[in-house]
């Protein structure tokens, strides 16, 4: 398999785009450079085609953006028609309130909705609403990723260019660590405006974890924000909050919402959302009411409800998860691999081996899967386009590749077997 055009494009891109791309998680350093595709030309269903014409089964689905499958004809037709109507206007369009109504109908916490283009902006607006409502400053985070804005990244290692002062307002906790979250809330509730979290991060919530967080926040005048960029319209059409039956005050959606078209939504309780009618509580974007994405969102949600999309992704995801578990057991790789998460969004957790790093193991798994037509990135988000035969094929590939991994570990030869520049980046949640 050749990657010459990907490599050529990478070298050209590096001259004009810092890192070679504008999206962190599409950074070529997440791939084995020389043994993996770096740029994609087109995609259809659950298959992507790189610049060199290689075809791959995809499970990252554009960083969890694609739920129905790439290039869904009905969604595309709705968006194309909106483009032909002129796309964006001096005033807003009707589709904005039609989609807001739909979200209010299906998402439990949604009483009002505002749209923008990306999750970072919606998260920032949610924090602003919480701070203004409670007149408090501090924010609890619970692992997870909430975009690139300063309020959040100040508390992460990716904090250059941000006043250090801002990190003092963030109190970071680990997912499922109820004890320390409870302690923080007990000690500092008079300063804490919000607790923001993804409903699930890789591992499932411990029994009562989300319910207890709901109770603690409610009792202490803390706004509970669910960042549902990934769980929204995927675990359930009503999001993680519907699936877990824990209803936050505010929630952020995006990704699956418009099946690839750029759209994000901040939804929540009226008393919080209504603050945006105060001109001094400001949240606005020029492109927020662009009609193609709103039309795509309306069509996407209609298809999810009409075609049993959620039960399909659960079924495909479960087949994949069970199959991967069996392969891990078969090759006795349990000390370095684990498959975790709910069926529609599973993660292959890699633990370092005594001789090899996580990124070296990941590189080898990716390289060997890519050779066999599966673009392995570590997580699997099944889409409506994946069919049983795709999952069966993927499991066949993983069976071979995990077997090769076992041999490479036993013979201590894994490092020598990596044919390109190994993966060197670390995920946003690391
Ligand atoms: C849970 C979560 N929140 C927020 C964001 C930020 O969204 P965006 O990249 O659209 O700004 C992401 C993006 O991956 C995300 O996964």
């Amino acid at each position: 398999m050749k990657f010459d055009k990907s490599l050529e494009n990478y070298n050209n891109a590096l001259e004009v785009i810092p890192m070679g791309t504008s999206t962190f998680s599409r950074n070529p350093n997440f791939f084995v450079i020389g043994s993996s595709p770096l740029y994609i030309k087109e995609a259809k269903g659950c298959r992507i085609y790189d610049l060199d014409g290689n075809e791959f089964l995809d499970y990252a689905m554009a960083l969890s953006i694609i739920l129905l499958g790439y290039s869904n004809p009905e969604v595309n037709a709705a968006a194309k028609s909106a483009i032909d109507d002129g796309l964006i206007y001096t005033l807003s369009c009707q589709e904005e309130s039609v989609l807001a109504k739909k979200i209010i109908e299906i998402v439990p916490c949604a009483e009002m909705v505002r749209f923008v283009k990306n999750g970072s902006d919606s998260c920032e607006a949610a924090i602003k609403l919480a701070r203004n409502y409670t007149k408090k400053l501090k924010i609890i985070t619970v692992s997870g990723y909430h975009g690139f804005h300063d309020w959040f990244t100040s508390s992460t290692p990716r904090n250059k260019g941000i006043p250090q002062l801002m990190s003092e307002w963030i109190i970071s906790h680990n997912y499922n660590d109820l004890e320390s979250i409870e302690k923080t809330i007990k000690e500092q509730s008079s300063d804490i405006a919000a607790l923001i979290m993804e409903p699930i991060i890789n591992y499932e919530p411990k029994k009562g974890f989300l319910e207890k967080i709901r109770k603690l926040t409610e009792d202490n005048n803390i706004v509970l924000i669910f960042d549902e960029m990934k769980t929204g319209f995927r675990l359930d059409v009503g999001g993680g909050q519907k699936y877990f039956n824990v209803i936050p005050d505010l929630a952020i959606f995006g990704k699956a919402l418009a099946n690839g078209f750029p759209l994000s939504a901040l939804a929540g309780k009226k008393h919080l959302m209504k603050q945006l009618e105060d001109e001094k509580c400001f949240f606005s974007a020029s492109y927020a009411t662009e009609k193609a994405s709103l039309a795509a969102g309306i069509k996407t949600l209609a298809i999810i409800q009409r075609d049993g999309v959620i039960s399909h992704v659960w079924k495909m995801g479960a087949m994949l998860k069970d199959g991967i578990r069996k392969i891990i057991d078969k090759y006795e790789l349990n000390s370095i691999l684990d498959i975790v998460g709910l069926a529609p969004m599973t993660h292959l957790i890699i633990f370092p081996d005594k001789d090899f790093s996580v990124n070296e193991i990941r590189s080898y798994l990716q390289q060997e899967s890519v050779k066999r037509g599966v673009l392995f990135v570590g997580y699997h988000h099944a889409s409506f386009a994946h069919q049983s035969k795709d999952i069966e094929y993927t499991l066949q590939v993983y069976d071979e590749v995990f077997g090769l991994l076992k041999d490479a570990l036993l013979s201590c030869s894994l490092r020598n077997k990596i044919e390109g520049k190994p993966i060197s980046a670390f995920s946003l949640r690391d």
Side-chain angles (χ1 to χ4, degrees), residues 126-350:
I127 296 300
K128 180 184 280 195
L129 293 187
R131 282 181 167 153
N132 190 52
Y133 187 78
T134 60
K135 305 295 177 224
K136 299 190 271 183
L137 256 183
K138 291 190 179 172
I139 309 294
I140 294 180
T141 59
V142 188
S143 306
Y145 172 66
H146 305 296
F148 79 96
H149 288 315
D150 289 359
W151 74 266
F152 173 65
T153 39
S154 62
S155 68
T156 73
R158 299 182 167 95
N159 60 2
K160 288 197 174 168
I162 301 172
Q164 214 209 320
L165 172 73
M166 298 189 76
S167 66
E168 291 170 21
W169 298 325
I170 302 294
I171 315 168
S172 312
H173 286 288
N174 291 325
Y175 192 80
N176 269 334
D177 186 357
L178 183 61
E179 206 178 309
S180 58
I181 294 171
E182 193 165 12
K183 186 166 177 288
T184 299
I185 291 181
K186 282 207 170 117
E187 289 171 359
Q188 303 188 52
S189 68
S190 59
D191 293 325
I192 299 168
L195 183 152
I196 184 168
M197 66 186 298
E198 297 177 60
I200 178 168
I201 301 170
N202 300 352
Y203 293 92
E204 293 174 45
K206 284 185 188 157
K207 194 165 184 297
F209 176 64
L210 295 174
E211 291 80 357
K212 194 77 208 282
I213 282 183
R214 175 64 282 188
K215 177 91 176 70
L216 281 167
T217 48
E218 197 166 323
D219 291 350
N220 288 282
N221 185 30
I222 294 169
V223 175
L224 177 60
I225 306 165
F226 275 1
D227 180 346
E228 299 233 37
M229 283 291 286
K230 290 173 115 166
T231 50
F233 316 110
R234 183 178 296 277
L235 290 185
D236 185 291
V237 68
Q241 56 190 273
K242 184 83 193 294
Y243 177 77
F244 293 114
N245 193 24
V246 175
I247 316 304
D249 303 303
L250 292 171
I252 290 106
F253 294 93
K255 304 227 179 206
L257 170 58
N259 203 53
F261 288 86
L263 191 65
S264 147
L266 169 63
K269 303 276 168 65
K270 222 172 220 172
H271 65 276
L272 292 164
M273 295 295 292
K274 275 265 186 189
Q275 294 177 98
L276 294 172
E277 287 175 358
D278 176 349
E279 285 174 15
K280 291 185 182 163
C281 191
F282 195 60
F283 177 39
S284 173
S286 303
Y287 294 102
T289 69
E290 166 268 304
K291 193 156 107 177
S293 300
L294 295 167
I298 294 167
K299 185 55 82 178
T300 300
L301 295 186
I303 296 172
I304 294 173
Q305 288 195 304
R306 185 193 68 196
D307 289 352
V309 170
I310 305 291
S311 61
H312 182 84
V313 298
W314 272 88
K315 194 168 154 215
M316 293 301 107
M319 199 176 152
L320 193 61
K321 186 179 177 188
D322 294 347
I324 293 175
R325 161 72 51 221
K326 284 191 187 120
I327 299 168
I328 293 173
D329 292 345
K330 173 175 167 186
Y331 293 105
E332 296 176 345
L333 285 165
N334 310 69
S335 63
I336 59 155
L337 299 181
D338 193 12
I339 180 83
V340 302
L342 292 169
M345 33 197 311
T346 57
H347 286 248
L348 187 77
I349 306 281
I350 303 174

Side-chain angles (χ1 to χ4, degrees), residues 78-133:
K80 281 176 189 161
S81 158
I83 292 171
D84 290 341
D85 287 346
L87 188 60
I88 190 159
Y89 317 110
T90 306
L91 297 171
S92 186
C93 59
Q94 195 180 15
E95 283 71 9
E96 188 181 6
S97 48
V98 172
L99 183 56
K101 270 201 179 140
K102 190 73 199 166
I103 292 173
I104 289 166
E105 181 193 310
I106 60 184
V107 172
C109 84
E111 294 173 359
M112 296 189 98
V113 181
R114 268 290 188 95
F115 295 103
V116 275
K117 287 295 167 201
N118 63 48
S120 304
D121 290 351
S122 288
C123 287
E124 165 129 321
I127 296 300
K128 180 184 280 195
L129 293 187
R131 282 181 167 153
N132 190 52
Y133 187 78

Side-chain angles (χ1 to χ4, degrees), residues 21-67:
T21 172
S22 303
T23 307
F24 180 82
S25 301
R26 296 190 176 96
N27 178 351
N29 287 327
F30 278 109
F31 297 85
V32 188
I33 296 175
S35 303
S36 196
L38 303 179
Y39 295 90
I40 301 302
K41 183 162 181 281
E42 56 189 325
K44 183 97 188 130
C46 56
R47 287 178 165 71
I48 55 176
Y49 303 86
D50 71 4
L51 292 190
D52 293 273
N54 302 310
E55 175 182 327
F56 302 98
L57 262 172
D58 188 21
Y59 289 94
M61 302 312 285
L63 317 178
S64 314
I65 286 171
I66 303 294
L67 178 65

